[in-house]
Amino acid sequence: MKAKTPADLTITPRDRRFGRDAKQARWWLGGDPIASAFMNALSVTFPKGEAFFIESVKAFRDGVPDKLAQEIRAFVQQEVMHSREHVAFNRRVTDAGYDVSRLEARIDQVLAEAAERPKIASLAATMALEHYTAILAAEILRNPKQMKGADAESAAMWRWHAIEEVEHKGVAYDTWMHATRDWSRWQRWKIKSLMMLVITTKFWKHRIEGTLDLLRQDGISGPKAWARLAWYLVGSPGLLRKIAPGWVAFFLPGFHPWNHDDRALIGKAESDYAAAVAVAA
């Protein structure tokens, strides 16, 4: 099965820095402790998680077609910068008074377990997680409610990250397809589907645990915390509900991340960003 990444796609690393001199509010996302906690918990995963993605893809870059080799290099550059910006963002989260040590310990545990598995399993996990980041990113770009009320620097950082996640959404998948080119279609589908199910269970379990940990630090716990988090995810703005169709698509025959070409979201987001910078200047 041939890759379906658009032939005219260019992956462009955008070296931007956000919020270096800004003090970030504790509830920076529209004054909402639930939304802020969820996005904070997600951000904590990125520095080490994206380093894992980079190494997982690089392990299989030998012998890939020239175009994919170029895309892997750009992917690595983008992910390195994402890690840098989330380190800075996470520092602002801790400066606001949160203890993220338990969240970081969980990430270390997951990565230690992954290190004991074959490299092809790490690539499969990366492929699944990159699909998650891509559909989350597309929702952030598509739906203004996801960043409604966020401070300008934080919103700009998340949208910048989202642009590049959409742009490089096919790299890990195409690398997987190259690495498993001698496998049968059934074997590929079985492994990638099982991996996505495992990743989904762990992803949401750990993100919910991390979010509830941060909410407890705000004095929000018990059924109230669960109910408000459930409404955020499946009600309004409904992040989990909105990405469900993209998640289901992963299991369909003939799936490829670029079966849905959403580059228009990138163009609109960059145009909005340029306009906002012009107004600020």
Side-chain angles (χ1 to χ4, degrees):
M1 180 178 176
K2 295 182 179 179
K4 299 177 183 177
T5 295
D8 61 345
L9 174 70
T10 300
I11 298 175
T12 306
R14 302 160 179 81
D15 191 0
R16 296 173 186 164
R17 288 168 169 77
F18 304 91
R20 289 302 193 274
D21 300 318
K23 183 177 180 181
Q24 189 165 290
R26 193 168 172 92
W27 298 345
W28 59 270
L29 184 42
D32 182 358
I34 308 300
S36 300
F38 181 82
M39 297 306 288
N40 289 347
L42 183 60
S43 180
V44 171
T45 70
F46 282 128
K48 292 178 181 178
E50 297 199 313
F52 170 77
F53 296 166
I54 289 169
E55 294 308 313
S56 297
V57 169
K58 285 171 62 178
F60 292 93
R61 64 183 172 179
D62 290 348
V64 300
D66 289 344
K67 184 175 186 295
L68 180 54
Q70 294 170 6
E71 290 171 349
I72 289 172
R73 286 193 290 271
F75 164 84
V76 169
Q77 289 178 287
Q78 287 184 335
E79 295 289 51
V80 166
M81 289 186 286
H82 298 170
S83 295
R84 181 195 69 203
E85 291 311 298
H86 281 279
V87 166
F89 180 89
N90 296 343
R91 189 176 299 118
R92 295 194 293 277
V93 171
T94 58
D95 287 346
Y98 288 106
D99 176 6
V100 300
S101 60
R102 287 178 293 276
L103 281 69
E104 291 178 330
R106 170 66 77 181
I107 295 163
D108 290 339
Q109 178 187 356
V110 170
L111 293 176
E113 292 171 356
E116 297 178 355
R117 301 191 183 107
K119 290 183 178 180
I120 194 66
S122 294
L123 180 60
T126 295
M127 170 187 59
L129 285 163
E130 278 289 299
H131 183 60
Y132 252 115
T133 58
I135 58 180
L136 286 167
E139 172 58 18
I140 287 172
L141 295 178
R142 185 183 300 112
N143 186 353
K145 288 184 178 180
Q146 299 298 346
M147 285 290 137
K148 185 178 180 180
D151 69 81
E153 285 292 291
S154 296
M157 189 277 289
W158 281 99
R159 290 190 179 112
W160 161 81
H161 189 169
I163 285 169
E164 297 197 342
E165 288 299 329
V166 169
E167 194 171 72
H168 71 225
K169 65 180 180 177
V171 173
Y173 195 88
D174 288 346
T175 304
W176 156 264
M177 293 295 286
H178 177 80
T180 61
R181 60 194 180 278
D182 296 328
W183 294 16
S184 68
R185 292 185 66 180
W186 162 248
Q187 187 179 13
R188 279 173 168 168
W189 183 86
K190 180 178 68 173
I191 296 301
K192 78 163 193 170
S193 298
L194 289 172
M195 181 59 75
M196 178 57 90
L197 293 173
V198 170
I199 289 295
T200 296
T201 300
K202 291 186 176 182
F203 179 89
W204 289 106
K205 178 178 184 292
H206 296 160
R207 295 304 77 73
I208 289 170
E209 287 175 349
T211 302
L212 294 174
D213 186 313
L214 297 178
L215 288 173
R216 279 192 294 272
Q217 297 178 43
D218 284 321
I220 303 171
S221 60
K224 180 180 180 181
W226 278 97
R228 292 180 66 180
L229 179 56
W231 178 249
Y232 168 74
L233 292 174
V234 301
S236 179
L239 186 65
L240 175 57
R241 172 172 54 84
K242 294 295 184 62
I243 68 170
W247 181 83
V248 171
F250 187 84
F251 299 91
L252 299 178
F255 168 80
H256 187 277
W258 282 107
N259 283 355
H260 179 60
D261 191 338
D262 44 11
R263 282 179 289 177
L265 293 174
I266 297 174
K268 184 178 185 306
E270 293 208 293
S271 175
D272 292 345
Y273 178 81
V277 170
V279 170

